[in-house]
């Protein structure tokens, strides 16, 4: 780079395949080139620079080999020009390109960003920054240092508005916000730096990254026909921007994440998931968006809302980035994205759908039990798969290779027992209704209640013409009478006959003087 020779005519990067890692490295060396030009301005000769900072020799030699015949601003301009031509030949996802285009930045502006991350690639750059800034222990570049690196070229002036844009996108963090802006020490969040390099391993705590190849395909989902047709159309609607937010409602552990994952895979995306959407502050929302851009992922946010609660979506969400929101049966969402959202409700699978799920979980020898298992337990699709895995382990512990109904029942009981025990008190069921001494009319009502419980899923289909559209699948019974007349005993005996657990929920434990809290406590218990 220091000795004149004929300028290269071919692309500076003709020998490189435009992969995410190579693309990142070319940007990194563009930042180092800018830094070397700044250092050259501060010294009489470039040899003085290398003598003072010998670790730069390797970087200088690699740049000199690629930039033979070019020097100074001409070298930097050629680097930017050839970088643009080279990356345009890539057909794969380039994290830095996606972030740059979403932010509306140019190559030179991205080089400033890369300069901020140099100490993460080589600690010697941290020592160099500490020396240039004259601040003991400050190994991160400050805003004023970055501005000095481009002061000789008005096109490279680092403005306060650009800094604000970087922060708005979550690309930069200020480590000492209490200081004057010129002294702000800047850092790129480590997970984002790794993702920009094409290695999304260091996902932040509370985030989950699932690669596109690990997601289910659309034809693997077991869905009602109308919902299956909607899922087929969703990827194109998300790509076109007609739908900016996909909202999936339904009970927990009922295939909501699987549905979103299948849509993401059909769109050519991975998935970046985060729970507790209500706790996301603006900084975490920004990090989620930029990290999703860098990893070509569909961001998925789950809200656990009670009755009357509202989850807020961020305003100013990037227009090129769709967002998926997962909700339970209660609560709602607010924000500008709601106007361009689509809501899908995922019901608990019926008997026929559950039988299909069980057939996928059972061995061919067990296939004839799928209908029995489907009738015995009314579970969401996710919980059904969890029960199948637990039951398989339980059977093997018992020395059996085939599942029995008892394995399923015990496995289902273990799913959320700890959470439920913290809200309600279990009452041991037992005995049989035959032991109950009641009037004939009461006995008849209890028999009807038992049959209603046993056939609750089949009744709605048979009573479609009934006034009001027929009953739902839920069963509610009110036992009344003076204390000591056997109400709790009747409930115990009924649970015993049905093979169900029985829990007592004391209203004194859930009633709260604050508006809405009683409903939330009850919702937690029933959920």
């Amino acid at each position: 780079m220091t000795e004149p020779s004929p300028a290269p005519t071919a692309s500076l990067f003709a020998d490189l395949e435009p992969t995410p890692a190579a693309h990142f490295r070319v940007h990194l060396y563009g930042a180092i080139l800018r830094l070397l030009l700044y250092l050259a301005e501060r010294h009489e000769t470039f040899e003085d620079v290398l003598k003072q900072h010998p670790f730069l020799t390797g970087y200088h030699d690699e740049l000199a080999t690629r930039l033979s015949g070019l020097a100074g601003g001409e070298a930097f301009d050629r680097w930017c020009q050839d970088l643009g031509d080279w990356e345009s030949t890539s057909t794969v996802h380039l994290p830095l390109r996606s972030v740059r285009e979403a932010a509306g930045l140019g190559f030179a502006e991205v080089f400033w960003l890369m300069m901020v991350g140099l100490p993460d690639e080589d600690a010697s750059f941290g020592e160099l920054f500490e020396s240039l800034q004259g601040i003991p222990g400050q190994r991160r570049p400050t805003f004023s240092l970055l501005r000095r690196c481009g002061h000789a070229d008005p096109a490279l002036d680092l403005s306060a508005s650009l800094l604000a844009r970087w922060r708005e996108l979550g690309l930069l963090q200020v480590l000492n916000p209490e200081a004057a802006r010129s002294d702000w020490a800047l850092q790129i969040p480590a997970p984002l730096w790794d993702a920009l390099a094409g290695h999304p391993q260091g996902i932040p705590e509370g985030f989950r990254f699932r690669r596109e190849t690990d997601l289910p395909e659309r034809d693997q989902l077991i869905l009602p026909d109308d919902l299956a047709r909607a899922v087929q159309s969703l990827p194109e609607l998300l790509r076109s921007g007609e739908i900016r937010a996909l909202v999936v409602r339904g009970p927990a552990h009922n295939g909501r994440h699987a549905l979103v994952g299948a849509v993401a895979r059909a769109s050519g995306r991975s998935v970046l998931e985060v729970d507790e959407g209500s706790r996301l502050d603006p900084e975490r929302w920004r990090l989620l968006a930029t990290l999703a851009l860098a990893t070509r992922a569909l961001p998925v946010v789950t809200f656990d809302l009670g009755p009357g609660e509202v989850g807020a979506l961020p305003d100013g969400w990037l227009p090129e980035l769709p967002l998926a929101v997962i909700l339970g049966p209660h609560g709602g969402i607010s924000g500008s994205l709601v106007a361009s959202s689509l809501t899908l409700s995922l019901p608990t699978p019926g008997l026929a759908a559950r039988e299909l799920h069980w057939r996928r979980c059972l061995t061919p020898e067990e296939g004839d039990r799928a209908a029995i298992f489907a009738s015995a337990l009314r579970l969401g699709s996710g919980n059904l798969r969890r029960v199948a895995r637990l039951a398989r382990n339980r059977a093997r512990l018992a020395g059996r290779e085939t599942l029995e109904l008892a394995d399923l029942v015990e496995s289902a009981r273990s799913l959320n027992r700890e959470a439920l025990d913290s809200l309600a008190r279990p009452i041991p069921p037992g005995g049989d209704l035959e032991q109950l001494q009641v009037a004939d009319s009461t006995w008849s009502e209890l028999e009807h209640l038992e049959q209603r419980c046993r056939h609750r899923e089949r009744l709605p289909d048979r009573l479609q013409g009934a006034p009001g559209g027929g009953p739902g699948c839920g069963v509610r019974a009110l036992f009344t009478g003076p204390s000591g007349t056997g109400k709790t005993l009747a409930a115990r005996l009924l649970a015993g006959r049905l093979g169900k657990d029985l829990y007592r929920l004391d209203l004194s434990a859930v009633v709260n003087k604050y508006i809405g809290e009683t409903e939330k406590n009850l919702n937690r218990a029933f959920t």
Side-chain angles (χ1 to χ4, degrees):
M1 193 168 68
T2 56
E3 297 180 2
S5 58
T9 55
S11 169
L12 298 178
F13 316 115
D15 59 320
L16 298 177
E17 182 182 354
T19 63
H23 189 249
F24 178 83
R25 186 172 177 80
V26 169
H27 276 81
L28 193 72
Y29 268 80
I32 295 172
L33 172 60
R34 183 67 251 169
L35 181 60
L36 291 178
L37 293 175
Y38 168 68
L39 293 172
E41 296 170 5
R42 291 170 51 92
H43 295 78
E44 291 187 8
T45 66
F46 200 81
E47 285 69 21
D48 293 338
V49 175
L50 300 182
K51 183 182 293 186
Q52 188 172 347
H53 307 288
F55 83 95
L56 291 172
T57 302
Y59 296 107
H60 168 266
D61 291 347
E62 188 164 346
L63 284 166
T65 300
R66 200 166 288 278
L67 289 165
S68 177
L70 297 172
E74 182 186 5
F76 186 75
D77 292 342
R78 178 67 181 275
W79 194 275
C80 294
Q81 176 185 334
D82 283 19
L83 172 53
D85 295 338
W86 174 69
E87 78 165 21
S88 67
T89 65
S90 176
T91 57
V92 301
H93 170 68
L94 301 175
L96 265 172
R97 178 171 62 184
S98 295
V99 171
R100 188 192 72 237
E101 291 176 349
L105 303 176
F107 291 112
E109 294 164 325
V110 174
F111 291 149
W112 293 134
L113 193 66
M114 300 301 289
M115 198 179 297
V116 172
L118 287 177
D120 295 304
E121 293 298 300
D122 187 338
S124 297
F125 283 106
E127 298 175 6
L128 171 61
F129 291 152
E130 181 180 11
S131 171
L132 291 174
Q133 292 166 157
I135 306 174
Q138 185 52 273
R139 299 192 169 200
R140 292 287 175 180
T142 61
F143 180 53
S144 61
L145 174 62
L146 294 180
R147 296 200 73 174
R148 291 201 303 273
C149 286
H151 77 282
D153 187 346
L156 298 176
D157 185 32
L158 181 60
S159 65
S161 61
L162 178 58
L163 176 63
R165 177 64 173 154
W166 282 343
R167 296 184 70 195
E168 179 186 345
L169 289 168
L171 287 166
L172 280 186
Q173 294 174 333
V174 176
L175 301 180
N176 54 343
E178 74 286 348
R181 184 170 59 190
S182 60
D183 292 332
W184 278 356
L186 306 174
Q187 174 180 278
I188 298 176
L192 183 55
W193 182 255
D194 292 339
L196 292 175
H199 308 294
Q201 290 95 347
I203 297 300
E205 182 178 357
F207 288 43
R208 292 184 305 278
F209 178 74
R210 291 193 291 158
R211 295 185 182 278
E212 177 187 345
T213 52
D214 296 330
L215 300 173
E217 296 185 1
R218 283 180 292 184
D219 58 7
Q220 293 177 299
L221 302 178
I222 298 174
L223 299 170
D225 291 342
D226 56 341
L227 199 54
R229 286 192 294 270
V231 169
Q232 289 294 325
S233 304
L234 273 172
E236 181 56 36
L237 292 174
L238 291 172
R239 274 193 293 266
S240 67
E242 292 183 51
I243 296 176
R244 296 187 58 203
L246 169 62
V247 181
V248 180
R249 279 189 176 274
H253 306 297
N254 190 44
R256 298 173 302 176
H257 288 84
L259 187 153
V260 169
V263 171
R265 179 167 184 164
S267 305
R269 294 179 179 271
S270 300
V271 157
L272 187 61
E273 300 173 323
V274 58
D275 294 332
E276 299 297 335
S278 299
R279 299 181 184 176
L280 285 178
D281 57 25
E283 183 175 341
R284 295 276 282 180
W285 275 111
R286 289 193 291 267
L287 179 59
L288 173 66
T290 307
L291 201 53
L293 273 177
T295 56
R296 188 167 173 73
L298 175 66
V300 183
V301 180
T302 300
F303 286 89
D304 184 14
L305 302 174
E309 290 186 315
V310 177
L313 301 183
D315 292 324
W317 187 256
L318 296 172
E320 53 276 283
L321 183 64
L323 174 67
V325 179
I326 291 181
L327 297 175
H330 305 288
I333 53 174
S334 65
S336 57
L337 281 174
V338 174
S340 53
S341 67
L342 174 70
T343 299
L344 299 179
S345 294
L346 193 58
T348 301
L351 274 171
R354 291 205 302 276
E355 184 173 344
L356 288 175
H357 280 290
W358 277 115
R359 290 192 182 281
R360 292 187 181 181
C361 296
L362 300 176
T363 64
E365 295 76 18
E366 299 166 334
D368 58 346
R369 304 183 186 185
I372 299 172
F373 292 169
S375 297
L377 297 172
R378 186 171 185 264
L379 298 168
S381 57
N383 272 337
L384 187 150
R385 303 294 178 115
R386 294 167 68 198
V387 165
R389 290 192 295 270
L390 292 171
R392 184 71 64 189
N393 293 333
R394 185 179 292 274
R396 287 170 180 163
L397 288 173
R400 289 182 281 105
E401 287 301 321
T402 57
L403 296 183
E404 302 290 345
L405 183 58
D407 299 322
L408 270 62
V409 172
E410 288 303 314
S411 298
R413 281 177 173 150
S414 68
L415 281 183
N416 296 297
R417 170 161 283 175
E418 291 77 9
L420 185 55
D421 285 353
S422 68
L423 297 166
R425 181 165 62 88
I427 298 177
D432 192 273
L433 280 175
E434 300 288 348
Q435 301 171 256
L436 196 64
Q437 299 299 315
V438 292
D440 290 345
S441 59
T442 303
W443 176 252
S444 177
E445 289 293 332
L446 288 171
E447 284 187 318
H448 287 156
L449 177 58
E450 178 197 348
Q451 293 305 310
R452 177 73 176 86
C453 292
R454 290 191 185 279
H455 305 291
R456 60 187 180 133
E457 287 194 270
R458 295 181 175 88
L459 280 174
D461 291 337
R462 298 183 181 183
L463 298 176
Q464 284 298 327
C473 289
V475 179
R476 293 159 294 279
L478 177 64
F479 291 9
T480 64
S483 178
T485 54
K487 299 185 296 297
T488 302
L489 174 62
R492 287 183 58 192
L493 298 177
L494 179 63
R497 179 176 280 195
L498 294 170
K500 301 292 185 183
D501 290 340
L502 182 65
Y503 278 84
R504 173 174 178 157
L505 181 65
D506 291 322
L507 287 181
S508 60
V510 296
V511 171
N512 193 295
K513 65 180 180 180
Y514 295 105
I515 296 176
E517 290 301 314
T518 299
E519 290 85 347
K520 293 176 188 176
N521 290 336
L522 284 170
N523 179 61
R524 286 178 57 213
F526 285 115
T527 299

